[in-house]
Amino acid sequence: MNPVSATQTISEPEKQPGSTLAIDLRSDTVTRPSPEMRRAMAEAPVGDDVYGEDPTINKLQARAAEIFGREAAIFVPTGSMGNIVAVKTWTHHGDEVIIEERGHIHQYEMDSITAIAGCMPRTTYVEDGILTWDRIEPLIRPKVYYRAQTALVSLESSHNMAGGTVYPPEVSDEICDRAHDAGLRVHLDGARIFNAAVYLGRSVAEITRKFDSIMFCLSKGLGAPVGSMLVGSREFIEKARVYRKLFGGGMRQVGVLGAAGLIALEKSPARLHEDHANARCLAEALAQLPGIKVDLRKVQTNIVIFDVSGTGRTAAEISAALAKRNVLANPTGKYDIRMLTHCDVDRAAIDRALVEFRALLAA
Ligand code: TLP
């Protein structure tokens, strides 16, 4: 190990060409590591994690398990890998997985449920993305030997493509209880579970206590450059370790990433309310713009999805025009645009984005 001395400067490449002027609202995945994270990464004690010998990753895993009140946790390179490892761990080829139609695990992970785990997604659409037991129960296959079997329910909170909506704990608790009674497992795609916890004013341990497994991302609102975690029982995590390796996710001196993850985990949840306040401010101002519709009830966390159909232009046209004005946002449908707030956009940046948006619509 060759640690950088405490006096040596870790340069923060703030002036990256093309990225400094833009107000990047495409996602909270775009955040760059803080100088504190970069320092911790440079100085992290490391070892070979395939041998379980990376002290920084071991610390991160222990701390994540502790925060969620669970027996164990495992670091995975991406949220997508965390989700497919969980699905694979809980299912057999030919099983079905119940999921909301716009769930990330179904729409944006290349259908790894099918391609890798050999399972069928069984989907249902709910406007606010929040499933209830009455929507899930009819999708469960009868236990007949010649029928495909339902093995898993997967929920997402906050629900990304429904606009950052959050499961009320009594709803997700009931789903878990009833699913367990029916012999099913319940996985949580909690990529943004800390945002959900802040919205609810409850701890992540409380709101996830009944799930069989939880995936959360260090690399979204928490601001780490890379990495996600899977949390659950010791037995689950030991099986997950096997599938992580099978999928090529066994890493070596990965404490350099874990060091940033530890800072994200310890420090970032305390500032997420700022992102939520900025998202609300953005949503309320967007709702005043001519031709723009926002369902403000859905703006619960750091995601704002709005409809631009009243402008007479498509989402692709509006986002291309915004990009020319250095405001970046992704279309999520023909007339829908998604904007996310995060630690690299402050209130002043939101105000500037709104000035540009108004000018664009007026032009
Ligand atoms: N979401 C990304 C895109 O893939 C859409 C984003 O910009 O929001 N679960 C949820 C709920 C997610 O939103 C994401 C990423 C993931 C899982 C996957 O995480 P990664 O990108 O680390 O594989």
Side-chain angles (χ1 to χ4, degrees):
M1 196 176 65
N2 181 20
V4 175
S5 87
T7 51
Q8 196 173 336
T9 314
I10 308 286
S11 63
E12 162 69 343
E14 281 303 346
K15 303 276 180 278
Q16 287 176 3
S19 66
T20 43
L21 289 172
I23 299 164
D24 197 342
L25 302 167
R26 286 172 302 169
S27 184
D28 48 8
T29 58
V30 302
T31 55
R32 282 173 290 155
S34 64
E36 184 187 9
M37 286 180 186
R38 289 175 185 277
R39 253 189 309 277
M41 291 169 82
E43 293 168 5
V46 294
D48 190 329
D49 183 47
V50 173
Y51 296 140
E53 290 172 3
D54 189 294
T56 307
I57 279 294
N58 289 341
K59 189 170 163 191
L60 172 64
Q61 292 173 163
R63 190 66 186 116
E66 185 179 40
I67 288 171
F68 281 77
R70 297 300 177 110
E71 286 176 356
I74 188 167
F75 183 85
V76 281
T78 63
S80 303
M81 188 184 286
N83 282 333
I84 188 57
V85 163
V87 171
K88 187 69 197 135
T89 305
W90 293 131
T91 60
H92 295 108
H93 263 59
D95 284 344
E96 291 192 346
V97 178
I98 296 174
I99 183 163
E100 202 277 328
E101 171 66 30
R102 287 156 301 163
H104 193 278
I105 199 166
H106 174 48
Q107 297 283 357
Y108 295 92
E109 296 178 17
M110 310 191 61
D111 236 330
S112 58
I113 290 183
T114 312
I116 297 178
C119 294
M120 280 294 287
R122 189 117 156 89
T123 64
T124 183
Y125 178 89
V126 190
E127 168 54 22
D128 65 359
I130 303 300
L131 291 174
T132 48
W133 181 251
D134 350 335
R135 298 299 298 263
I136 293 171
E137 194 176 22
L139 303 179
I140 299 172
R141 299 288 187 189
K143 291 217 178 303
V144 178
Y145 84 91
Y146 51 79
R147 303 291 301 270
Q149 289 300 291
T150 312
L152 183 68
V153 177
S154 183
L155 308 184
E156 183 174 319
S157 191
S158 67
H159 192 305
N160 187 349
M161 289 300 156
T165 49
V166 172
Y167 268 87
E170 58 283 6
V171 173
S172 52
D173 281 358
E174 190 196 3
I175 293 173
C176 291
D177 286 341
R178 307 284 290 267
H180 291 153
D181 291 346
L184 311 179
R185 300 291 189 170
V186 190
H187 171 67
L188 176 65
D189 177 347
R192 299 183 177 84
I193 195 62
F194 284 91
N195 296 85
V198 165
Y199 172 71
L200 293 168
R202 309 266 293 269
S203 70
V204 288
E206 273 179 277
I207 65 175
T208 63
R209 72 201 160 101
K210 293 196 181 231
F211 286 88
D212 296 287
S213 52
I214 303 125
M215 184 285 289
F216 74 93
C217 296
L218 297 161
S219 61
K220 297 198 167 56
L222 301 188
V226 181
S228 293
M229 309 290 303
L230 254 183
V231 189
S233 68
R234 191 161 289 116
E235 192 188 349
F236 166 76
I237 293 299
E238 283 324 305
K239 285 190 188 149
R241 190 181 307 285
V242 174
Y243 286 117
R244 183 186 69 170
K245 185 74 176 117
L246 180 67
F247 301 155
M251 293 174 285
R252 304 296 176 173
Q253 286 71 25
V254 67
V256 291
L257 302 179
L262 262 168
I263 292 170
L265 188 58
E266 299 293 358
K267 299 204 167 164
S268 301
R271 58 154 306 284
L272 291 179
H273 65 278
E274 293 171 32
D275 298 343
H276 296 187
N278 285 340
R280 172 118 311 250
C281 158
L282 175 67
E284 283 173 359
L286 286 171
Q288 304 298 315
L289 298 184
I292 307 284
K293 273 191 291 195
V294 191
D295 184 347
L296 291 172
R297 287 167 311 168
K298 287 199 200 157
V299 185
Q300 301 174 358
T301 52
N302 67 328
I303 302 180
V304 183
I305 295 182
F306 55 96
D307 178 317
V308 300
S309 53
T311 64
R313 288 186 251 183
T314 63
E317 286 163 350
I318 297 266
S319 63
L322 278 172
K324 288 198 182 125
R325 293 171 175 270
N326 280 321
V327 178
L328 306 183
N330 280 334
T332 53
K334 189 164 182 195
Y335 293 108
D336 291 327
I337 295 182
R338 184 186 74 147
M339 288 182 168
L340 276 86
T341 55
H342 51 77
C343 59
D344 287 350
V345 285
D346 57 12
R347 184 62 67 89
I350 297 293
D351 290 343
R352 284 206 308 284
L354 286 164
V355 167
E356 294 298 336
F357 210 148
R358 276 187 208 103
L360 160 72
L361 293 176

